[in-house]
Amino acid sequence: GKPAPAVPTPNVPRLPVAPPAQSGPQGPQGAPAPMPGLPQQVPDQPGTAASQAQANAPVSASARRLYDRSRAQLLQVRTLFNGSQASVGSGFVVSAEGHVITNYHVVSQHALEPERYRLQYQTPEGDGGDLELLDFDARRDLALLRIVGKSPAAARMTATPLVFRKAEQPLSKGERIYSMGNPHDVAFAVVEGTYNGLVERSFDPLIYYSGSINPGMSGGPVIDEDGEIVGINVSTMIFAQQMSFLVPAQYANALLQRSRQAAPMKGAAWPRLREQLMAYQEELSRNFLAQPWRTLTHPRYRFPIPQEQYMRCWGSGTPTDAQGLQMQRTQCRMEHALFINETLQTGYLGVTEEVYDGSKLGALRFSTVYSASFRNERLGAADKDRTAPYCKENFVQQSDGPPLRAVACLRAYRKLDGLVDLTVLVTNVDSATEGALGRFEARGVSFANATQLTRHYLQGFAWTR
């Protein structure tokens, strides 16, 4: 039969925190492979054309000025396990009391397992110390830390903290902005790029930045020509050039104002994480349920295709294969997911519709192919984050639609009580040589919203009038 397509992963992944520096050419067993395309540097010989060109290369006066002005507030955020680096990211000082902004995914190991992981910082000059976690915003992938203790290094960083650009002074598309951080645990760096407005069709605002940010720069500041914070490094587009994404600075400022007087977090952050995810899924589900379905063009059926308000849809068709089968596929998916830990991202919706025409096969051969396509849909298995799927199957007959065979499956989150992953598989059973196979997915929703989303999806199947 036709194999079911793999569900597309979000095209905007979180920047992975950089692994610690490797001690040998291949690093320790299990260490991530180097990023594709990372060049191996070979020193030029004095007097060669290459070295002369490098010497004559123009240096951005603005980038140099802004980095020199801001470097005292930059720091590398290190997660330690048994005294050794488990991962590294970046951060920056935003108050005289030593508050530090970074990404949630940079400190997630410590947040979820504080008894095993601890946080430290290091400055561009090599000074360091401890950090404590005050609060986080998992939806925006932000965390608020504070420097522990007083030292000459801490005094230098907090003397002139970075400030946020005023919300009433928005950037214009094309303005130069500057990303800072410590890529791949190599050295602190500044990357000059361009502000290109907000990402279209995104549920939450995300800045599109034309500049190359790399693992290890996660959580670093992005500043304007005046040295004021406009965004925070967070993610990049896979297999693209200079397509990076930033959290708007207003959300980091809101986290600072909300929690600057907070006491350090004690114990694992699962209860607070659950509270934030429950609020997010409620808003996401409510917005999605309020949208009417679009539909594919078909002489017999209406199929539920979501609006592209905060989803992207791709369509494809296959020519008649050797057996005489034709198929048309539409896939829609939110491209932004919420980071929980290294193995789990959640908080998104997806829809896939496949339409089959087997009139040239005949009823028996079409039934064989069509049934195989339904059977090979993967539903996941138990893992450390979620249970195995629990499924219910039934035949559904609606007043305005064809008879359907439907399977609904839930996978519960082990440490986020009340949240589940929903998968709904649907196929029509009214025609001997025509069929439709639909798949709806909702990651990280409540049982009540899973029920409403299932009903909403099933009601999207109807006869064509």
Side-chain angles (χ1 to χ4, degrees):
K2 292 288 183 181
V7 178
T9 55
N11 287 332
V12 187
R14 292 290 183 269
L15 281 171
V17 287
Q22 308 302 323
S23 57
Q26 296 179 343
Q29 184 178 6
M35 285 193 65
L38 187 64
Q40 299 296 318
Q41 295 182 342
V42 179
D44 294 318
Q45 297 299 319
T48 64
S51 63
Q52 188 64 37
Q54 186 177 17
N56 295 333
V59 176
S60 169
S62 294
R64 181 173 55 193
R65 168 180 57 84
L66 291 167
Y67 177 74
D68 290 342
R69 173 178 168 180
S70 305
R71 62 174 288 152
Q73 289 76 45
L74 299 178
L75 49 83
Q76 185 183 57
V77 178
R78 298 180 169 185
T79 302
L80 303 182
F81 177 73
N82 289 336
S84 300
Q85 284 184 185
S87 64
V88 294
S90 299
F92 53 100
V93 178
V94 289
S95 79
E97 296 82 26
H99 291 95
V100 173
I101 292 291
T102 188
N103 287 145
Y104 163 75
H105 78 260
V106 169
V107 301
S108 62
Q109 291 170 302
H110 169 76
L112 300 179
E113 298 183 88
E115 71 284 357
R116 302 181 66 198
Y117 297 94
R118 61 190 183 92
L119 300 176
Q120 284 192 340
Y121 70 88
Q122 183 167 324
T123 70
E125 289 74 27
D127 299 311
D130 293 328
L131 293 165
E132 55 190 7
L133 175 63
L134 302 184
D135 199 1
F136 62 86
D137 181 349
R139 176 173 178 174
R140 315 293 181 183
D141 200 350
L142 295 170
L144 180 64
L145 315 176
R146 187 167 56 202
I147 296 171
V148 177
K150 299 186 182 298
S151 66
R156 287 193 297 271
M157 288 189 291
T158 58
T160 55
L162 294 179
V163 298
F164 294 95
R165 182 178 173 122
K166 294 181 175 59
E168 58 269 22
Q169 297 177 334
L171 289 166
S172 298
K173 185 171 288 194
E175 284 194 49
R176 302 299 289 175
I177 52 179
Y178 306 84
S179 168
M180 300 185 187
N182 194 323
H184 291 283
D185 197 23
V186 173
F188 284 87
V190 55
V191 177
E192 189 171 356
T194 307
Y195 173 81
N196 284 296
L198 299 179
V199 175
E200 296 179 358
R201 289 175 284 182
S202 177
F203 187 67
D204 285 328
L206 204 61
I207 294 173
Y208 169 28
Y209 170 64
S210 292
S212 299
I213 58 177
N214 289 286
M217 297 181 72
S218 297
V222 183
I223 60 178
D224 61 14
E225 293 281 0
D226 296 323
E228 297 181 335
I229 307 161
V230 298
I232 298 89
N233 301 325
V234 71
S235 59
T236 188
M237 182 74 80
I238 296 176
F239 306 126
Q241 295 182 354
Q242 295 193 358
M243 290 189 67
S244 303
F245 304 93
L246 319 172
V247 180
Q250 68 203 59
Y251 298 110
N253 192 19
L255 178 62
L256 171 64
Q257 301 309 321
R258 180 175 75 239
S259 302
R260 67 186 307 157
Q261 302 300 328
M265 291 182 60
K266 302 296 183 183
W270 291 105
R272 190 172 304 190
L273 182 61
R274 176 190 178 277
E275 179 182 353
Q276 294 184 11
L277 294 178
M278 289 295 284
Y280 171 79
Q281 66 86 30
E282 184 64 34
E283 182 179 340
L284 176 63
S285 299
R286 184 172 61 250
N287 277 269
F288 186 78
L289 290 167
Q291 297 179 13
W293 293 106
R294 299 182 297 140
T295 187
L296 288 172
T297 301
H298 193 275
R300 287 174 59 88
Y301 311 111
R302 285 196 298 114
F303 307 107
I305 303 297
Q307 303 289 331
E308 293 191 71
Q309 182 177 342
Y310 45 83
M311 304 179 81
R312 280 180 170 82
C313 296
W314 303 264
S316 63
T318 61
T320 304
D321 64 13
Q323 294 180 315
L325 181 71
Q326 288 184 312
M327 185 183 71
Q328 177 184 353
R329 176 186 295 141
T330 299
Q331 293 178 289
C332 302
R333 172 71 178 269
M334 291 176 65
E335 293 185 335
H336 184 74
L338 305 188
F339 182 94
I340 304 301
N341 56 34
E342 295 84 353
T343 58
L344 180 62
Q345 294 193 34
T346 189
Y348 59 89
L349 307 172
V351 176
T352 302
E353 306 291 353
E354 295 177 352
V355 182
Y356 295 85
D357 181 356
S359 55
K360 296 181 181 181
L361 288 177
L364 183 59
R365 293 172 65 197
F366 175 74
S367 175
T368 302
V369 173
Y370 191 41
S371 298
S373 183
F374 188 84
R375 281 197 304 270
N376 68 12
E377 291 285 336
R378 296 179 179 88
L379 299 172
D383 55 36
K384 74 181 187 66
D385 300 305
R386 291 161 295 185
T387 65
Y390 176 77
C391 300
K392 285 282 191 177
E393 181 175 3
N394 212 330
F395 289 91
V396 179
Q397 177 64 67
Q398 300 178 133
S399 59
D400 190 36
L404 304 172
R405 178 187 177 191
V407 179
C409 301
L410 299 179
R411 297 177 68 193
Y413 286 65
R414 297 186 187 277
K415 294 186 178 181
L416 295 166
D417 185 46
L419 288 173
V420 298
D421 285 350
L422 167 70
T423 301
V424 183
L425 301 179
V426 176
T427 181
N428 66 300
V429 290
D430 65 290
S431 174
T433 57
E434 287 184 295
L437 175 59
R439 180 174 181 137
F440 175 79
E441 298 192 79
R443 294 289 182 256
V445 296
S446 67
F447 179 80
N449 282 328
T451 303
Q452 293 187 66
L453 289 167
T454 300
R455 181 182 299 111
H456 181 59
Y457 182 59
L458 293 176
Q459 289 173 345
F461 290 88
W463 296 115
T464 297
R465 297 301 183 189

